[in-house]
Amino acid sequence: GLSSPGLCESCPSPSGGADESFLGKLGGTLARKKKSKEVSDLHEEGKNAINAPMLPTGTDIHPEDTLMEENAERIMLDPTSRENLKFKDLLKVLIDWINSELEEERIIVKDLEEDCYDGQVLQKLFEKLSGRKLNVAEVTQSEIGQKQKLQTVLEAVNELLRPHGWTIEWSVDSIHSKNLVAIVYLLVALAMHFQAPIRLPEHVSVQVVVVKQKREGILQTALVTKELTSTTEDAFDTLLDHAPDKLNVVKTSLITFVNKHLNKLNLEVTELETQFADGVYLVLLMGLLEDYFVPLYNFFLTPESFEQKVHNVAFAFELMQDGGLKKPKARPEDVVNLNLKSTLRVLYNLFTNYKNSE
């Protein structure tokens, strides 16, 4: 490239006209040979570009953001999106999920940006979900160590997710620089891939500010909408929402299935919506399917309170997992609250697993 320092000092700050094309030819050379005067000019340029009317007010772009390599881009969450209730809800669901997964590790996550950037939590989470150990140093304080750990974790994640058609919306740099959007994309992908027993809020979108470094320190900014979760509909939702006629067929076969077993205890179900809500039949049904007697001190045979019913349903869920079923997607509270979709989903899961057992 051009190496004569005289060239740069003699040119005025990029302001247009002939100088612009001249500077254009220098291209990347400028980026590498910045003098302090040019740096401050760049900051001015940066500020002017940042204060362009298309940008939402209150977007913080720090001086270091304006010193980017040519054609580099930064993505920042637009401040108004931080306050978006569905987005906040998504963050809370993800944080609760990580904490329940990593309970035994005594790890408590409070803030996704501050707690995920160094790779430690992501490593533990991936190991727990995938059941495999990653070959990484345990504690890494240095930035280089953290980035190496992230590199190893993300390579393992990408290798797992790519074949399933996931777009990789995260990188070592974006996560290490605490880019919340990248962190959330990654966590949502893991939660969905490993069928986490959580309900992600649907259609959560955020606005991000994309800052692109053009030539001569000119920053180009744009607001882009990113969809973090789409719909989490599965075959069951589709059935419930779009095929009510088929729904009755499913209900009938579920009633036949549960009664075939409950009849052994002289019990009869006529209404799926309500009769499983207190968890008693659910617990007894699990005992019948797995062929054991459930001790009465393990659950409430005549539950009075909401808590006791939740205890029963949660206990039945535990028995299902002991029997080798996946943890139900529904929450015990949903079944107790007579949520038909959740109740049917739980029963359907039992039906597909045990329909041939006598």
Side-chain angles (χ1 to χ4, degrees):
L2 290 159
S3 57
S4 159
L7 277 173
C8 296
E9 277 152 13
S10 60
C11 40
S13 63
S15 56
D19 296 322
E20 202 155 32
S21 55
F22 175 58
L23 274 173
K25 293 195 188 81
L26 291 175
T29 326
L30 263 185
R32 286 187 291 279
K33 303 203 178 306
K34 291 190 181 113
K35 302 283 170 290
S36 58
K37 178 180 175 305
E38 288 161 344
V39 171
S40 62
D41 282 352
L42 261 182
H43 283 182
E44 279 312 306
E45 280 289 353
K47 280 205 196 89
N48 299 342
I50 288 153
N51 298 331
M54 65 190 298
L55 261 188
T57 48
T59 304
D60 287 336
I61 295 190
H62 305 290
E64 66 267 21
D65 290 329
T66 61
L67 294 177
M68 300 191 291
E69 289 294 307
E70 191 179 322
N71 287 330
E73 64 174 40
R74 288 255 159 114
I75 294 183
M76 285 158 290
L77 186 60
D78 167 31
T80 52
S81 284
R82 264 185 198 276
E83 298 312 308
N84 171 331
L85 291 176
K86 278 174 89 170
F87 181 58
K88 282 180 152 175
D89 187 27
L90 176 61
L91 296 184
K92 185 181 177 324
V93 169
L94 290 171
I95 288 172
D96 290 348
W97 169 57
I98 295 174
N99 287 335
S100 77
E101 288 291 347
L102 299 183
E103 211 171 359
E104 289 153 26
E105 297 279 348
R106 309 233 180 327
I107 288 178
I108 294 178
V109 170
K110 293 194 171 76
D111 177 298
L112 293 179
E113 287 155 298
E114 292 305 323
D115 297 337
C116 292
Y117 81 95
D118 62 0
Q120 182 74 10
V121 167
L122 292 175
Q123 172 212 335
K124 295 290 182 201
L125 180 65
F126 181 75
E127 290 181 337
K128 170 88 192 326
L129 296 170
S130 66
R132 51 180 271 220
K133 287 293 279 174
L134 293 174
N135 185 13
V136 285
E138 263 315 302
V139 180
T140 40
Q141 298 302 338
S142 73
E143 181 177 334
I144 293 176
Q146 291 171 349
K147 285 188 166 177
Q148 281 171 336
K149 174 174 280 196
L150 272 173
Q151 181 77 36
T152 308
V153 175
L154 294 186
E155 273 172 10
V157 168
N158 297 354
E159 207 175 290
L160 185 75
L161 296 180
R162 232 188 227 112
H164 296 277
W166 286 96
T167 319
I168 307 299
E169 297 267 6
W170 49 83
S171 63
V172 170
D173 288 335
S174 60
I175 288 183
H176 196 267
S177 63
K178 305 183 185 179
N179 176 329
L180 186 56
V181 177
I183 292 169
V184 169
Y185 264 127
L186 172 63
L187 293 172
V188 166
L190 285 173
M192 291 182 71
H193 178 80
F194 286 104
Q195 298 186 317
I198 54 176
R199 189 106 182 127
L200 294 170
E202 299 185 354
H203 302 295
V204 180
S205 291
V206 289
Q207 297 270 310
V208 295
V209 181
V210 180
V211 184
K212 245 197 174 122
Q213 174 80 55
K214 288 302 189 193
R215 288 204 289 225
E216 308 112 43
I218 291 175
L219 292 177
Q220 194 187 34
T221 53
L223 261 182
V224 179
T225 301
K226 292 272 190 190
E227 191 179 46
L228 298 171
T229 64
S230 53
T231 161
T232 48
E233 275 209 353
D234 54 22
F236 221 91
D237 294 297
T238 318
L239 180 76
L240 279 173
D241 301 335
H242 311 293
D245 46 330
K246 289 208 186 94
L247 182 60
N248 288 326
V249 179
V250 170
K251 274 184 172 173
T252 311
S253 39
L254 287 180
I255 286 183
T256 311
F257 163 71
V258 296
N259 281 334
K260 171 176 149 186
H261 297 282
L262 289 172
N263 286 166
K264 298 170 193 165
L265 299 175
N266 294 327
L267 301 170
E268 180 91 28
V269 170
T270 51
E271 246 207 349
L272 295 176
E273 286 91 326
T274 54
Q275 287 185 276
F276 285 97
D278 63 7
V280 176
Y281 279 13
L282 215 44
V283 171
L284 296 173
L285 181 59
M286 279 316 298
L288 290 161
L289 293 171
E290 282 288 334
D291 206 18
Y292 51 69
F293 178 75
V294 183
L296 297 177
Y297 55 78
N298 275 337
F299 67 107
F300 300 95
L301 197 54
T302 50
E304 317 261 299
S305 66
F306 182 75
E307 285 70 30
Q308 291 182 345
K309 293 175 184 176
V310 169
H311 167 92
N312 282 355
V313 177
F315 176 57
F317 282 10
E318 275 174 41
L319 297 179
M320 289 170 200
Q321 284 167 272
D322 292 344
L325 273 79
K326 276 213 168 86
K327 184 170 176 178
K329 258 191 184 166
R331 300 174 321 154
E333 293 81 355
D334 298 335
V335 175
V336 178
N337 283 327
L338 306 182
N339 177 321
L340 177 63
K341 196 185 278 190
S342 301
T343 309
L344 290 181
R345 187 178 265 138
V346 171
L347 293 172
Y348 190 73
N349 204 7
L350 292 178
F351 172 70
T352 48
N353 207 55
Y354 294 102
K355 56 175 180 276
N356 298 325
S357 60
E358 276 315 307

